[in-house]
Amino acid sequence: MRPFPHLTELQGWRASLLWFAKPETTHASHEQDGLLITAREADGIVRIQAIGPYRELVPQFTGLPVTHWPDLCIAPGFVDLHTHYPQTDVIGSPADGLLPWLEHYTYPHEKKFSAPDYAHEVTRFFLDELMRHGVTTAMCFATAHPESVDVFMAEAQKRHLRMITGKVLQDRHSPDGLRDTDTPQSLRQTEDLIRRWHGVDRLGYAITPRFAPTSSDAQLQGAGEIAQHFPDVWIQSHVAENLDEIRWVHELFPEARSYLDVYDRAGLLRQRSVYAHCIHLDATDRHRMAEVGATVAVSPTSNLFLGSGFFDYAASDAAGLGYGLASDVGGGTSFSPFHTMHAAYTVARQSVGRAGLSLAPEHLWWQHTAGAAAALDLNGKVGNLLPGCEADFVVLNPKATPLLARRTAQTEALAEWLFTMIVLGDERLIAHTVVQGKIAADNRT
Ligand SMILES: [Zn+2]
């Protein structure tokens, strides 16, 4: 009997498999000759139906079409917890820290996104880059212009991607052309965009105050009210990235106990709120975030590039704070999840006041897949290959370069193999990216 008679487009994918069988842990599973089975379900979404050893699964599926990649490895699509598509052309702009970088490069560039044609061209390039690098889901800033959200959402919808974005809220300390000149209107625009895009196909909306210094009290409070009205919408912002920024926040919000407390008082700290950086938090902040289910987008290439500091893994684990990895393009220096995982390893080695952590490669990989999905409250949907997950995955070629082929051939344990790819990998390691059961990027041609 043919299993799953109610499904269409049943498809098998034979290769070695890497996934997280118990995603609440960072332990990775690996099957040398595995079979992944995907199919389109009644709601139109292609999901994983089964995963396991080829020899065990294939007898149950007579006549199943199977794509066979003998030397490749299927792994979950990467999840980027924090990035800015309008900063694609700001990557690699040097500055003396965060605030000068915003003023000299980022703000002038983001003004261009009032033009939908321009925003569309950058969106297409950005999404192509995500696909080339194996990133299948991202939580992304747009700009202050509502058009920049419409254009991104429409293109992501056309490509059947699971993406989250939102209009940036910034009604002060921002240049003309980027500043919300009418605060109530900026909040109405946010609500309109939520109604237009949130939950449509695989799209999600994030309420997006840029960071506390560029929003008035009224705008933050208004954003918090919208968050209360739409509890399954995401919230994204930045917090405690840079010491100059923190001093400025204390001047602007003297009543707040901490930088994080500014968001908490506005009702912007809850489940499905993801804060980038979280470098200079104290124990009270970390416990508060953990208590309400807010999570951290750890952005190590950005933190190293702008000299902001180092995320404290040990203190975050002690507080039970959830986190995952992010590129933070364009403060971050790469679209590559391998570069980000490598930088996260480097950052953990620099832990202040202790001997330094050596994060396990499986843990690093988890932070960019199943762990990042959990931080988004999307565990069981993306970032893994368990049955029920949406069929977005990467196909790794561990022999993509002469050095990778030489080094991976010499590894014995799974952890060594993963670590070699983390340190030596880039987009050449991604042979294919598969979204909803279709090849969305083919780096081998
Ligand atoms: Zn950012």
Side-chain angles (χ1 to χ4, degrees), residues 65-80:
V66 175
T67 300
H68 189 195
W69 287 306
D71 298 320
L72 306 183
C73 175
I74 294 175
F78 290 102
V79 176
D80 188 337

Side-chain angles (χ1 to χ4, degrees), residues 74-95:
I74 294 175
F78 290 102
V79 176
D80 188 337
L81 276 184
H82 176 85
T83 182
H84 302 248
Y85 93 80
Q87 293 178 15
T88 300
D89 294 321
V90 184
I91 284 190
S93 302

Side-chain angles (χ1 to χ4, degrees), residues 124-193:
R124 287 197 303 266
F125 183 86
F126 176 85
L127 292 176
D128 287 348
E129 280 298 287
L130 293 191
M131 295 303 107
R132 280 181 355 98
H133 288 274
V135 177
T136 49
T137 288
M139 173 108 133
C140 184
F141 273 51
T143 64
H145 316 96
E147 301 85 348
S148 70
V149 174
D150 285 328
V151 161
F152 184 90
M153 292 289 204
E155 185 66 26
Q157 184 183 33
K158 195 172 116 191
R159 298 178 185 218
H160 310 291
L161 293 167
R162 182 170 281 287
M163 290 284 157
I164 302 168
T165 193
K167 173 207 140 43
V168 175
L169 294 164
Q170 52 183 118
D171 67 351
R172 64 170 174 170
H173 302 135
S174 309
D176 292 345
L178 207 55
R179 191 176 63 256
D180 293 314
T181 51
D182 179 338
T183 302
Q185 184 190 47
S186 73
L187 299 169
R188 279 197 302 277
Q189 288 168 337
T190 296
E191 288 199 58
D192 289 347
L193 288 165

Side-chain angles (χ1 to χ4, degrees), residues 271-309:
Q271 191 150 22
R272 293 203 166 192
S273 65
V274 181
Y275 283 87
H277 309 303
C278 295
I279 293 169
H280 309 283
L281 298 182
D282 62 17
T284 306
D285 288 333
R286 289 192 184 91
H287 281 107
R288 179 65 183 149
M289 287 186 78
E291 178 183 52
V292 300
T295 55
V296 183
V298 182
S299 309
T301 73
S302 171
N303 300 155
L304 289 165
F305 183 67
L306 292 172
S308 302

Side-chain angles (χ1 to χ4, degrees), residues 38 246 261 282 296:
T38 61
I246 292 168
D261 190 42
D282 62 17
V296 183

